Short mmCIF file of all heavy atoms in Angstrom, two decimals:
data_model
loop_
_atom_site.label_atom_id
_atom_site.label_comp_id
_atom_site.label_asym_id
_atom_site.label_seq_id
_atom_site.Cartn_x
_atom_site.Cartn_y
_atom_site.Cartn_z
N ASN A 1 0.84 -1.19 0.00
CA ASN A 1 0.00 0.00 0.00
C ASN A 1 0.89 1.25 0.00
O ASN A 1 2.08 1.18 0.28
CB ASN A 1 -1.00 -0.02 1.17
CG ASN A 1 -0.34 0.08 2.52
OD1 ASN A 1 0.65 0.78 2.70
ND2 ASN A 1 -0.89 -0.63 3.49
N VAL A 2 0.31 2.38 -0.33
CA VAL A 2 1.07 3.61 -0.50
C VAL A 2 1.73 4.05 0.80
O VAL A 2 2.88 4.53 0.79
CB VAL A 2 0.17 4.74 -1.07
CG1 VAL A 2 0.92 6.05 -1.18
CG2 VAL A 2 -0.38 4.35 -2.43
N ASP A 3 1.07 3.88 1.93
CA ASP A 3 1.65 4.29 3.21
C ASP A 3 2.94 3.52 3.51
O ASP A 3 3.93 4.11 3.96
CB ASP A 3 0.65 4.10 4.36
CG ASP A 3 -0.51 5.09 4.28
OD1 ASP A 3 -0.32 6.17 3.69
OD2 ASP A 3 -1.59 4.76 4.80
N ASP A 4 2.93 2.22 3.26
CA ASP A 4 4.14 1.43 3.47
C ASP A 4 5.24 1.84 2.48
O ASP A 4 6.42 1.89 2.84
CB ASP A 4 3.85 -0.07 3.31
CG ASP A 4 3.02 -0.61 4.46
OD1 ASP A 4 2.97 0.04 5.52
OD2 ASP A 4 2.40 -1.69 4.28
N SER A 5 4.84 2.14 1.26
CA SER A 5 5.81 2.58 0.25
C SER A 5 6.45 3.91 0.64
O SER A 5 7.65 4.12 0.45
CB SER A 5 5.15 2.71 -1.11
OG SER A 5 4.67 1.47 -1.56
N ILE A 6 5.67 4.81 1.19
CA ILE A 6 6.20 6.11 1.65
C ILE A 6 7.22 5.88 2.75
O ILE A 6 8.29 6.50 2.76
CB ILE A 6 5.05 7.04 2.13
CG1 ILE A 6 4.22 7.50 0.93
CG2 ILE A 6 5.60 8.24 2.89
CD1 ILE A 6 2.94 8.21 1.30
N ASP A 7 6.91 4.97 3.69
CA ASP A 7 7.86 4.65 4.77
C ASP A 7 9.16 4.09 4.20
O ASP A 7 10.25 4.46 4.66
CB ASP A 7 7.25 3.65 5.75
CG ASP A 7 6.11 4.24 6.57
OD1 ASP A 7 6.03 5.49 6.65
OD2 ASP A 7 5.31 3.46 7.10
N ILE A 8 9.07 3.23 3.21
CA ILE A 8 10.27 2.64 2.59
C ILE A 8 11.10 3.71 1.91
O ILE A 8 12.33 3.76 2.07
CB ILE A 8 9.87 1.53 1.60
CG1 ILE A 8 9.33 0.33 2.36
CG2 ILE A 8 11.05 1.14 0.72
CD1 ILE A 8 8.67 -0.71 1.49
N VAL A 9 10.46 4.59 1.17
CA VAL A 9 11.19 5.66 0.47
C VAL A 9 11.84 6.60 1.48
O VAL A 9 13.01 7.00 1.31
CB VAL A 9 10.24 6.43 -0.49
CG1 VAL A 9 10.91 7.67 -1.05
CG2 VAL A 9 9.78 5.51 -1.61
N ASP A 10 11.13 6.95 2.54
CA ASP A 10 11.71 7.81 3.58
C ASP A 10 12.92 7.15 4.23
O ASP A 10 13.95 7.80 4.45
CB ASP A 10 10.67 8.15 4.65
CG ASP A 10 9.68 9.21 4.19
OD1 ASP A 10 10.01 9.96 3.25
OD2 ASP A 10 8.58 9.27 4.77
N LEU A 11 12.82 5.87 4.54
CA LEU A 11 13.95 5.15 5.13
C LEU A 11 15.14 5.11 4.18
O LEU A 11 16.29 5.26 4.59
CB LEU A 11 13.55 3.72 5.51
CG LEU A 11 12.67 3.60 6.74
CD1 LEU A 11 12.14 2.17 6.86
CD2 LEU A 11 13.44 3.98 7.98
N TYR A 12 14.88 4.90 2.91
CA TYR A 12 15.93 4.86 1.90
C TYR A 12 16.72 6.17 1.88
O TYR A 12 17.94 6.19 1.94
CB TYR A 12 15.29 4.58 0.53
CG TYR A 12 16.26 4.47 -0.61
CD1 TYR A 12 17.01 3.32 -0.80
CD2 TYR A 12 16.41 5.51 -1.51
CE1 TYR A 12 17.89 3.21 -1.86
CE2 TYR A 12 17.28 5.42 -2.57
CZ TYR A 12 18.02 4.27 -2.74
OH TYR A 12 18.89 4.17 -3.78
N PHE A 13 15.99 7.29 1.84
CA PHE A 13 16.65 8.60 1.82
C PHE A 13 17.34 8.91 3.15
O PHE A 13 18.38 9.56 3.17
CB PHE A 13 15.68 9.71 1.43
CG PHE A 13 15.33 9.70 -0.03
CD1 PHE A 13 14.03 9.52 -0.45
CD2 PHE A 13 16.32 9.87 -1.00
CE1 PHE A 13 13.71 9.50 -1.80
CE2 PHE A 13 16.01 9.86 -2.35
CZ PHE A 13 14.70 9.67 -2.76
N ASP A 14 16.77 8.44 4.25
CA ASP A 14 17.41 8.63 5.56
C ASP A 14 18.75 7.90 5.63
O ASP A 14 19.74 8.44 6.14
CB ASP A 14 16.51 8.15 6.69
CG ASP A 14 15.34 9.08 6.97
OD1 ASP A 14 15.37 10.24 6.49
OD2 ASP A 14 14.39 8.64 7.65
N VAL A 15 18.78 6.68 5.12
CA VAL A 15 20.02 5.90 5.12
C VAL A 15 21.08 6.60 4.28
O VAL A 15 22.24 6.72 4.69
CB VAL A 15 19.77 4.46 4.60
CG1 VAL A 15 21.08 3.74 4.30
CG2 VAL A 15 18.95 3.68 5.62
N ILE A 16 20.70 7.09 3.11
CA ILE A 16 21.66 7.81 2.26
C ILE A 16 22.15 9.07 2.96
O ILE A 16 23.35 9.35 3.01
CB ILE A 16 21.04 8.14 0.89
CG1 ILE A 16 20.81 6.85 0.10
CG2 ILE A 16 21.93 9.09 0.11
CD1 ILE A 16 20.03 7.05 -1.18
N SER A 17 21.23 9.85 3.52
CA SER A 17 21.61 11.10 4.19
C SER A 17 22.55 10.86 5.37
O SER A 17 23.57 11.54 5.50
CB SER A 17 20.35 11.83 4.69
OG SER A 17 19.52 12.16 3.62
N LYS A 18 22.20 9.91 6.22
CA LYS A 18 23.05 9.61 7.38
C LYS A 18 24.42 9.09 6.95
O LYS A 18 25.44 9.43 7.53
CB LYS A 18 22.37 8.60 8.30
CG LYS A 18 21.21 9.20 9.07
CD LYS A 18 20.51 8.15 9.91
CE LYS A 18 19.26 8.73 10.56
NZ LYS A 18 18.50 7.73 11.28
N GLY A 19 24.45 8.27 5.92
CA GLY A 19 25.71 7.74 5.42
C GLY A 19 26.62 8.83 4.89
O GLY A 19 27.83 8.83 5.14
N VAL A 20 26.05 9.77 4.16
CA VAL A 20 26.85 10.88 3.62
C VAL A 20 27.38 11.75 4.75
O VAL A 20 28.54 12.14 4.76
CB VAL A 20 26.04 11.71 2.61
CG1 VAL A 20 26.76 13.00 2.24
CG2 VAL A 20 25.76 10.90 1.35
N VAL A 21 26.54 12.04 5.74
CA VAL A 21 26.96 12.88 6.86
C VAL A 21 28.04 12.18 7.68
O VAL A 21 29.06 12.79 8.02
CB VAL A 21 25.75 13.24 7.76
CG1 VAL A 21 26.20 13.87 9.05
CG2 VAL A 21 24.81 14.18 7.02
N GLU A 22 27.84 10.90 7.99
CA GLU A 22 28.78 10.19 8.87
C GLU A 22 30.05 9.72 8.15
O GLU A 22 31.15 9.83 8.68
CB GLU A 22 28.07 8.98 9.49
CG GLU A 22 26.99 9.38 10.48
CD GLU A 22 26.16 8.21 10.95
OE1 GLU A 22 26.49 7.06 10.60
OE2 GLU A 22 25.18 8.44 11.68
N ASP A 23 29.90 9.19 6.94
CA ASP A 23 31.04 8.59 6.25
C ASP A 23 31.59 9.44 5.10
O ASP A 23 32.67 9.16 4.59
CB ASP A 23 30.66 7.21 5.70
CG ASP A 23 30.20 6.26 6.79
OD1 ASP A 23 30.69 6.39 7.92
OD2 ASP A 23 29.33 5.41 6.51
N GLY A 24 30.83 10.42 4.67
CA GLY A 24 31.28 11.28 3.58
C GLY A 24 31.01 10.71 2.20
O GLY A 24 31.18 11.40 1.20
N GLU A 25 30.54 9.46 2.13
CA GLU A 25 30.31 8.86 0.82
C GLU A 25 29.38 7.66 0.97
O GLU A 25 29.49 6.89 1.91
CB GLU A 25 31.64 8.41 0.22
CG GLU A 25 31.54 7.76 -1.13
CD GLU A 25 32.90 7.43 -1.71
OE1 GLU A 25 33.66 8.37 -2.00
OE2 GLU A 25 33.17 6.23 -1.86
N VAL A 26 28.45 7.52 0.04
CA VAL A 26 27.57 6.35 -0.01
C VAL A 26 27.56 5.85 -1.45
O VAL A 26 27.24 6.59 -2.37
CB VAL A 26 26.12 6.71 0.42
CG1 VAL A 26 25.19 5.54 0.20
CG2 VAL A 26 26.08 7.16 1.85
N LYS A 27 27.96 4.57 -1.62
CA LYS A 27 27.96 3.95 -2.94
C LYS A 27 26.79 2.98 -3.02
O LYS A 27 26.62 2.14 -2.14
CB LYS A 27 29.25 3.17 -3.18
CG LYS A 27 30.44 4.04 -3.41
CD LYS A 27 31.65 3.18 -3.77
CE LYS A 27 32.85 4.08 -3.97
NZ LYS A 27 34.03 3.32 -4.39
N ILE A 28 26.02 3.09 -4.07
CA ILE A 28 24.93 2.16 -4.34
C ILE A 28 25.29 1.46 -5.65
O ILE A 28 25.35 2.10 -6.70
CB ILE A 28 23.58 2.89 -4.44
CG1 ILE A 28 23.30 3.64 -3.14
CG2 ILE A 28 22.47 1.89 -4.75
CD1 ILE A 28 22.10 4.54 -3.18
N MET A 29 25.55 0.18 -5.55
CA MET A 29 25.99 -0.59 -6.71
C MET A 29 25.00 -0.45 -7.87
O MET A 29 23.79 -0.49 -7.67
CB MET A 29 26.17 -2.06 -6.34
CG MET A 29 27.22 -2.31 -5.27
SD MET A 29 28.85 -1.69 -5.69
CE MET A 29 29.32 -2.87 -6.91
N ASN A 30 25.55 -0.29 -9.05
CA ASN A 30 24.78 -0.16 -10.30
C ASN A 30 23.85 1.05 -10.31
O ASN A 30 22.92 1.11 -11.11
CB ASN A 30 23.98 -1.43 -10.60
CG ASN A 30 24.88 -2.62 -10.81
OD1 ASN A 30 25.96 -2.50 -11.38
ND2 ASN A 30 24.46 -3.76 -10.34
N PHE A 31 24.06 2.00 -9.42
CA PHE A 31 23.27 3.23 -9.41
C PHE A 31 24.18 4.45 -9.41
O PHE A 31 24.14 5.26 -10.32
CB PHE A 31 22.31 3.27 -8.22
CG PHE A 31 21.43 4.48 -8.23
CD1 PHE A 31 20.43 4.62 -9.17
CD2 PHE A 31 21.61 5.49 -7.29
CE1 PHE A 31 19.62 5.75 -9.19
CE2 PHE A 31 20.80 6.60 -7.30
CZ PHE A 31 19.80 6.74 -8.24
N GLY A 32 25.00 4.60 -8.37
CA GLY A 32 25.90 5.74 -8.31
C GLY A 32 26.44 5.98 -6.92
O GLY A 32 26.21 5.19 -6.00
N THR A 33 27.15 7.09 -6.77
CA THR A 33 27.80 7.43 -5.51
C THR A 33 27.41 8.84 -5.09
O THR A 33 27.46 9.77 -5.90
CB THR A 33 29.34 7.36 -5.67
OG1 THR A 33 29.68 6.07 -6.16
CG2 THR A 33 30.03 7.60 -4.35
N PHE A 34 27.02 8.99 -3.83
CA PHE A 34 26.76 10.29 -3.23
C PHE A 34 27.99 10.66 -2.42
O PHE A 34 28.43 9.88 -1.58
CB PHE A 34 25.54 10.24 -2.30
CG PHE A 34 24.26 9.92 -3.02
CD1 PHE A 34 23.84 8.61 -3.22
CD2 PHE A 34 23.47 10.95 -3.51
CE1 PHE A 34 22.66 8.32 -3.88
CE2 PHE A 34 22.28 10.67 -4.17
CZ PHE A 34 21.88 9.35 -4.36
N ILE A 35 28.56 11.85 -2.66
CA ILE A 35 29.80 12.26 -2.02
C ILE A 35 29.61 13.63 -1.36
O ILE A 35 29.09 14.56 -1.99
CB ILE A 35 30.94 12.36 -3.04
CG1 ILE A 35 31.13 11.03 -3.76
CG2 ILE A 35 32.24 12.81 -2.38
CD1 ILE A 35 32.00 11.11 -4.98
N LYS A 36 30.03 13.73 -0.08
CA LYS A 36 30.01 15.02 0.61
C LYS A 36 31.27 15.79 0.23
O LYS A 36 32.37 15.25 0.28
CB LYS A 36 29.95 14.82 2.12
CG LYS A 36 29.93 16.14 2.90
CD LYS A 36 29.68 15.92 4.37
CE LYS A 36 30.85 15.33 5.07
NZ LYS A 36 30.73 15.32 6.53
N LYS A 37 31.10 17.03 -0.17
CA LYS A 37 32.24 17.86 -0.55
C LYS A 37 32.12 19.20 0.15
O LYS A 37 31.06 19.82 0.15
CB LYS A 37 32.27 18.06 -2.06
CG LYS A 37 33.44 18.88 -2.52
CD LYS A 37 33.47 19.04 -4.01
CE LYS A 37 34.68 19.87 -4.37
NZ LYS A 37 34.70 20.20 -5.79
N GLY A 38 33.22 19.62 0.76
CA GLY A 38 33.25 20.91 1.42
C GLY A 38 33.62 22.01 0.44
O GLY A 38 34.43 21.82 -0.45
N LYS A 39 32.97 23.14 0.60
CA LYS A 39 33.30 24.32 -0.21
C LYS A 39 33.82 25.39 0.71
O LYS A 39 33.22 25.68 1.74
CB LYS A 39 32.06 24.83 -0.96
CG LYS A 39 31.61 23.90 -2.06
CD LYS A 39 30.60 24.60 -2.93
CE LYS A 39 30.32 23.76 -4.16
NZ LYS A 39 29.54 24.50 -5.13
N ALA A 40 34.94 25.98 0.36
CA ALA A 40 35.56 27.01 1.18
C ALA A 40 34.78 28.31 1.07
O ALA A 40 34.03 28.53 0.11
CB ALA A 40 37.01 27.23 0.73
N SER A 41 34.96 29.18 2.05
CA SER A 41 34.32 30.48 1.97
C SER A 41 35.00 31.27 0.85
O SER A 41 36.16 31.04 0.51
CB SER A 41 34.42 31.23 3.29
OG SER A 41 35.77 31.46 3.62
#
């Protein structure tokens, strides 16, 4: 059902967000890599 699907999508994005914040990089095989990059002032 849609409510369960919303929970799954939210969890998916939470895992990616926490991984980027904590580890600086999240790799998802056959999809891509999210990388945290600092920008100087």
Side-chain angles (χ1 to χ4, degrees):
N1 66 37
V2 177
D3 290 335
D4 290 341
S5 297
I6 290 170
D7 291 341
I8 290 169
V9 171
D10 284 338
L11 286 170
Y12 182 78
F13 286 119
D14 286 344
V15 167
I16 292 172
S17 298
K18 288 177 186 174
V20 169
V21 169
E22 292 172 5
D23 301 329
E25 180 176 295
V26 173
K27 287 185 181 183
I28 301 172
M29 298 302 287
N30 298 323
F31 183 70
T33 305
F34 296 89
I35 303 167
K36 180 172 73 170
K37 181 178 180 187
K39 290 192 171 190
S41 62

